[in-house]
Amino acid sequence: TGLITYDPGFGNTGSCSSAITFMDGERGILRYRGIPIEQLAERSTFVETAYLLITGKLPNREELTHTSVMLNDASLLHEDMKIFYQNYPSKAHPMGILSAMVNAMRSFYPELIDLEEDISITFLRLISKVRTMAAMAYKISKGHKTVYPRPDYSYAANFLHMMFDNPVIPYEMDYDMVQALNVFWILHADHEQNCSTAAVRVVGSGQVNVYAAISAGISALWGPLHGGANQAVIGMLEQIRNEGLTISKAVAKAKDKNDPFRLMGFGHRVYKTYDPRAKIMKKMCDLILKKDRPAENGGMDPLLDIAMALEDAALADPYFQEKNLYPNVDFYSGIVLRAMGIPTNMFTVMFAIGRLPGWLAQWREDALDPLRKISRPRQVYTGETITDYTPMDER
Ligand code: CMC
């Protein structure tokens, strides 16, 4: 009732109160439960950070061991779910498959008893199985045998094992890659009320089951302006290389409002300075891109040179300066993922695995909020006030 305020894209609307993630877009600050992202990237693991986001505190040794055991126990997929994969067209996008599989989990694991049960079993089940599903989708797309997880590997190492081990060439674990993967997932683990998290909260507010809410988050993340940007950055860098575009031509195209070309991996709704995650991701390029390895296995990547030249040119350009457009997390993350051997169409899936703890933490916070209401925004109506029905032969 009363005057409705129109806020396109909800840029100035607080949709919830939250104690999970703190962001200061002007100063480039990101903290999970108060802990700076830089400290977590340097000292934590993805599993520990997931625990922090969901429960609000770092686990002690016993809690962390218990979580790791539970994640291992839950890592297998129901064999009947494997059949789903076989009926997808071979070119199906893995994000579409992932959101459908997560939604299907509700039918395979319906036993939600209460909210505490959700947290201890369902959350860990989701975190563990999403990783298995992603690796399995990749193996099946290649026509290869799927690989089972190993109980002696950590969460991140197991993902690389399930992705890249095969009966002919066993995967030799590379612990620089394991570290880079942990950092990649930590940096993506939460980002307050972004498009996919807002989707999880909106869908969850109707009190649907958690699988359906997470599935909605995965669908939202798929878009090129959101999680799809890491894939789009590589597409853009390849376009620059393949078409022989000079850096200044690429910057000029990005500024031209009549050209749909944008600098993917640049700009952010909240950060008006360098995205703190992009700084850490750039450092990860140095860790894993080594001159003495072949390019497809973490060796120097010519796209990194293009990316760095593009960053320098854009940051020196008044258009980007005036609009406060800086590299975001996706600008360098694609290069890190390529070095790990992750195929480009799996990049957004990698983001989804990382964001899952954030979605779960936000879903839980919402479910426990005594002031929670079903999401039901209003609108500013611009249509006809009233018109009469026209019979068919008078139209
Ligand atoms: N290249 C060229 N111009 C840009 C770019 C860009 N990447 N980003 C914004 N602008 C311009 C835009 O054209 C607009 O200009 P004007 O005011 O003259 O119309 C101005 O900057 C403001 O942009 P906006 O689109 O109104 O800002 P937004 O807050 O609605 O959009 C964004 C934010 C991230 C969608 C946008 O910056 C963008 O499309 N970036 C490229 C895609 C990308 O990298 N997405 C990943 C975001 S970070 C990870 C995640 O959240 O998933």
Side-chain angles (χ1 to χ4, degrees):
T1 56
L3 202 60
I4 286 165
T5 316
Y6 175 37
D7 179 17
F10 306 121
N12 198 31
T13 298
S15 59
C16 61
S17 63
S18 180
I20 301 171
T21 287
F22 173 77
M23 271 179 90
D24 180 335
E26 299 299 325
R27 294 191 291 158
I29 293 175
L30 175 63
R31 297 179 193 141
Y32 298 159
R33 302 283 188 183
I35 305 180
I37 192 69
E38 293 78 10
Q39 288 185 25
L40 290 166
E42 188 160 334
R43 303 174 65 176
S44 186
T45 63
F46 176 60
V47 169
E48 188 183 64
T49 297
Y51 190 101
L52 169 74
L53 283 168
I54 292 167
T55 66
K57 65 176 198 61
L58 288 168
N60 62 28
R61 207 178 295 279
E62 202 180 305
E63 287 161 340
L64 188 60
T65 306
H66 176 71
T67 304
S68 302
V69 169
M70 297 270 288
L71 285 170
N72 260 331
D73 283 356
S75 58
L76 289 183
L77 212 56
H78 197 295
E79 284 291 313
D80 290 350
M81 288 190 84
K82 255 170 109 171
I83 300 166
F84 291 10
Y85 286 101
Q86 275 135 28
N87 295 313
Y88 271 99
S90 59
K91 293 224 156 41
H93 197 286
M95 284 298 276
I97 301 178
L98 191 66
S99 69
M101 295 291 272
V102 167
N103 214 338
M105 278 179 73
R106 170 63 174 144
S107 311
F108 286 87
Y109 307 99
E111 67 283 0
L112 300 185
I113 296 154
D114 58 28
L115 202 58
E116 288 314 310
E117 183 77 357
D118 286 350
I119 293 155
S120 62
I121 299 178
T122 307
F123 281 24
L124 291 170
R125 186 180 272 153
L126 261 163
I127 292 172
S128 188
K129 291 190 199 305
V130 156
R131 171 196 53 171
T132 309
M133 285 175 187
M136 201 181 260
Y138 171 65
K139 282 290 190 196
I140 290 174
S141 76
K142 302 244 317 172
H144 288 176
K145 203 168 170 324
T146 54
V147 174
Y148 287 99
R150 271 175 46 168
D152 55 328
Y153 276 158
S154 68
Y155 185 89
N158 243 328
F159 177 74
L160 295 174
H161 167 71
M162 286 191 276
M163 284 287 288
F164 300 122
D165 190 59
N166 74 53
V168 182
I169 311 168
Y171 182 67
E172 223 176 284
M173 197 52 67
D174 178 333
Y175 286 94
D176 281 349
M177 296 294 180
V178 174
Q179 187 192 341
L181 184 53
N182 267 299
V183 170
F184 173 88
W185 278 335
I186 290 169
L187 297 184
H188 285 82
D190 198 47
H191 216 216
E192 54 126 290
Q193 304 313 312
N194 58 89
C195 175
S196 56
T197 302
V200 168
R201 283 201 185 241
V202 168
V203 171
S205 79
Q207 296 187 5
V208 72
N209 67 80
V210 66
Y211 299 108
I214 298 299
S215 168
I218 296 171
S219 298
L221 188 70
W222 193 354
L225 295 190
H226 189 16
N230 53 16
Q231 180 174 341
V233 169
I234 296 297
M236 172 189 74
L237 297 174
E238 281 172 341
Q239 183 189 349
I240 293 173
R241 183 190 58 189
N242 298 347
E243 293 176 10
L245 274 181
T246 59
I247 296 296
S248 55
K249 184 85 207 310
V251 171
K253 270 169 80 62
K255 294 193 297 187
D256 181 356
K257 298 286 173 197
N258 297 318
D259 188 327
F261 184 91
R262 273 190 164 197
L263 272 199
M264 298 314 284
F266 254 76
H268 197 273
R269 174 62 63 79
V270 182
Y271 292 123
K272 298 303 163 203
T273 181
Y274 215 103
D275 178 339
R277 303 167 302 168
K279 281 192 194 147
I280 302 169
M281 203 61 91
K282 198 173 173 186
K283 277 198 214 140
M284 280 299 113
C285 293
D286 297 336
L287 172 74
I288 60 173
L289 290 177
K290 301 248 169 79
K291 287 200 173 59
D292 54 355
R293 287 192 227 179
E296 67 282 4
N297 198 12
M300 285 315 284
D301 186 339
L303 295 190
L304 179 62
D305 293 334
I306 301 178
M308 291 197 299
L310 201 53
E311 177 188 334
D312 289 345
L315 293 181
D317 190 289
Y319 172 98
F320 290 87
Q321 289 169 351
E322 276 154 26
K323 295 185 193 299
N324 292 321
L325 301 170
Y326 290 84
N328 61 50
V329 68
D330 291 317
F331 196 67
Y332 288 105
S333 66
I335 292 171
V336 168
L337 293 176
R338 254 163 74 97
M340 278 176 204
I342 308 288
T344 316
N345 74 347
M346 287 280 289
F347 283 9
T348 314
V349 168
M350 300 302 291
F351 190 156
I353 300 173
R355 184 55 54 87
L356 180 58
W359 289 332
L360 292 171
Q362 303 260 358
W363 179 88
R364 175 174 184 254
E365 186 177 61
D366 206 41
L368 293 171
D369 184 352
L371 299 177
R372 181 203 218 186
K373 289 175 102 166
I374 188 164
S375 282
R376 204 304 183 189
R378 296 302 310 275
Q379 62 173 11
V380 175
Y381 178 70
T382 59
E384 296 276 8
T385 311
I386 184 165
T387 49
D388 283 326
Y389 178 86
T390 319
M392 182 61 80
D393 52 10
E394 289 172 26
R395 288 177 211 165

